[in-house]
Each structure stands twice: as structure tokens, then as C-alpha cells.
Amino acid sequence: MAMVQNPVLKRPDRPAGAVRLLVLALGAIGASSAFSQTVTLTPSVQSRLTWTDNVGASSDKESDWIAEISPGITVSRKSGRFNGLLSAQLRNVGYANDSSRNTSYLALQGSGQIEAVENLFFVDLNANISRNNLSAFSGRSSTDDLSVDSSNETRTWSIGPRLEFRLGDTATGSVGYKASWLDSGGTTVGGQRLNQLTAQASDPAAVRLFGWGLSYSRSESEYDASTSRDVTEDIGRATLYINVTPQLRLRAIGGYEKNDYASTEDEKGSIYGAGFDWNPTERTAISGTTEERVFGRGYNFSLKHRAQRSTWDLSYVKDISSSLQTLGGGIYQDPQFLAFFNDATLVAAIPDDVQREAFVRILLGYPATGGTGDIVSNAHFVSKTWRAAFSLVGVRNTLTVSAQQSDRSRLSSITGLSAQDDFALSDTVKTTSLTVSFNHKLSGISSLNTAVTHSRSQGASGTGLDTKRLTATVGLTTKLGPQTNAGLTYRYQRSDGSSASSDFTENALTANLGMTF
């Protein structure tokens, strides 16, 4: 396979690029009406009133009333040449006792695909704007939607054209390019751009028993900060498939990679490993891959099982990553989120998309809005992440237990980091969490939701960074009419950290009313 030379890219103007991408995304949705399929346009207004006894989330408690009115619009399309969802809200948050905290901002998340040329040329689009706590060690939890200070804002955008084609009767291939941007509202994280070029071709069953696959990727990460160093990564792989049975396929992997994440000199090395894909039943999928890499041994294992009234999800991944790679796809590109959100048993138990998304975010420990709540940093890191989740779905009750642990190790100290960046405080950041959530349908229009989450974030030995958080919520939601919903939620939150600034407790009561048109 010929190696494609990546062109030299001029450092973009981040805000202008973000605006252009948003206009492109909205324009694509509007243009899609030229196709014969239906576009669903849903305007809405959400309002909330919250009383909290610790508005600043600090050891010095101060109570306040917080009012929010958020007009929004959701555009979706699930068929035809364009498939996607774009949801935007103008959040207007006001404080009764401290008007200096008042803020307004656009909260946005969207993901879509345009089939520009049938079965040949596609364009993938993603966008996300949210405000969530950027630190694992201080402040509110990442799931707290009261973290609305402008310094907590992150904005990610991506656009990815790609060609898909056939090679002969059974082989397939693709060539793609994806540009992603990350901006923030404060100094904690500087602007980033990620350029990714990918090419692959495969025929897993070329001669029935054996198949083959080839892939190549090149990533270039650019930074706004003059103290940061742009970095690159190249990875090429060849895969031999062995089709033991229709349900079991083995893989032998060989390749080569190089990157300059940890040093100004390239780290180079061979890739060799093995994997398998096993589908013992229609409801069960198990896959695993292990490879020797330049950073050590990498892993990617997953188990997914769907029974009539239960779901099981287990996964473990060890690989090089960055905030822009994990956040750039948005919540609608996260496999863990989609596995639960689209699960048939959970859809039947919670048919309302908004309520089901909120429930899945709670059980996975994700923020109430925005992305997955992953660490936000300018550093590249080796990430070891395992997740386990179990849901038991009954006629009126849904119980879910979710546990996860993320252990991230910074690859280099030479990339300039803000003093507030968690990786500037510690070479490693380890976060463990356990969530138990329960949904009970009181009637056809009302439900009771409860959740308890316990988490712990730790820095490297000797840093003294160690924060434990406990969050418990109980809420009632109901429909007042076909297009009107209401709810009442109580939340208790406690944080115990290694420093006084990390210690606080909070009681909060929120009433909400929402309407769609």
C-alpha cells in the first residue's frame, strides 16, 4: 500500500475555524432537506429553579437561588443521505444573591454523516460545547451541571471526509481525513488541532479460511501555546485473519509505529500481537486484542451480552490517547453510551430519548450535558481504562450497576501545560467510580429516579492529590401534557480532598419545567 504524503498544514485560527465548522454543520442539515426524507425540527424551552446551600462548592457555605431559562432546538434525521442529530440550547443562568455569577452560553452537541456520493463519498461531522469541571481533584464533580463558569467551557469540532470503495468482489477499502479542534473558555487548556489521515483495505474471508487486512494512520497534533511542541504519530498494521468457524475468527497482527510524544526524537518500534472475535450467540459478542507497542503492551478487550431482561458490558483498553481524541467524537460517538442508549430493553423501559439519555449518563458517570467527562488536558497520555456495567430491566423497574477505573500516565513533560492542568500537578491521574442507579415507573407518565455515585481521584505518589466524592440523587419526573414535562430532584454531594479547597458538602433541590413545540 502506497504511503500518502500528508501536506503541510498552516496553524488555523481556532475561533474562526470553529465558527466555519458550525456553519457547515448547520448548512448540511438544512441542505439535507433537498433529499426526499423527513427532517424533524423540535423547538423547546427548559426552565429550572435550584436552591443550594453551597453555591460556591467550598468549605465556606453560602446558600443561593439559581434560576435558568434555556430555549433550544433539536434537529434530527434518521434516514436518507443525511443521518444525524444536532441539539443546541442557549443556557441563561441567574443567581439571586450574587449577580456576578450570572452567565449565558450556547450548549451544543451534534453528530452526523452526509452521504455525498452514494456508497462512495461520505462526510462525518461532530460538534460539542459544554461547561463541566475540568479538574479531577477540586471543585464539583464532572456530572454536576452547576459548573457553568466560563473557565469550564470546552468546545470541540470535527469534520471528516472519507472515500469507501470495493476491491474486487469481496474486499473493501477506505481513505479518510479528519480535522478536529479543541478550544476552552479559560487558561487551563490551550487550543489544539488534530489532523488524522487514515487508509485501510481488508478482506477478512478472502479464501474462506484465511483473510487479510492492511491499515495506515498518521496523526498530527498542533497547539496554540508557544510553549507546546507539535507532535506526530504514524502507525501501520497488517492483519492475517483465520476463520475457525462462522462464530470465531482469530487475528495475527504485525506492523510498525513511531511517534515523538515523549521526546523530540522519534520513538520507533515493531508492532506484533494477536486477537480474536467470537460471537457464540446472536446476543453475545466477545473480542480481544493484545499488541506489543512502543509504550509497552496494549490491550483492547470487550464483552457485550444482551438477555431478554438484562444487559452486560465489560471492557478494558490500554492505548495512547489525548483529550481531543476522546472528546472529539462527542457523546453520540461513544460506544459505551450508545450500547446502553440504543439497547432495546432500555428503550422499552424508558422510551423518552431525553429521559433515557439522562439515565444512561448517570449510570456511566458522565456529565449531565456535553461529552464523556474524560480528563481535559494538552498532554498525550497512556490510558488504561476498564468498565463494567450491568442492567436489570423489568416491566416497571430498571436497576443498573456501573464501575469504571481510568489510569492515565502523561507521556512527556516537555509539552507546555497550564499550571491548572491536572497533568501539570501529577504525572499520573487515576480515577475510580462506582454508580448504582434505579428507575421505577410509577405510571405511564411518571417515574422515580435514584442514583448514588462514589468516586476517588488520585495523583502520583508524593503529590498528595487524593479526592473522594459522594453524590446521591433522588428525583421524580412526570408529563403534564403531550409536550410538557416537569420534575423535582434532590441532590446531596460531598467532597473530601487532600487540601482544604477540595472539602465541601452541598444539599440542592431543583424543580424543572420543560416544553417542546
Side-chain angles (χ1 to χ4, degrees), residues 9 11-12 14 191-193 195 220-224 230:
L9 295 169
R11 186 184 301 277
R14 298 300 198 282
Q192 303 178 36
R193 173 168 173 168
N195 309 298
E220 298 179 349
S221 299
E222 303 175 349
Y223 300 90
D224 276 346
D230 297 346

Side-chain angles (χ1 to χ4, degrees), residues 282-297:
E282 294 181 354
R283 295 173 175 266
T284 305
I286 307 172
S287 66
T289 303
T290 179
E291 297 176 325
E292 190 62 34
R293 304 278 301 278
V294 295
F295 61 86
R297 183 158 292 277

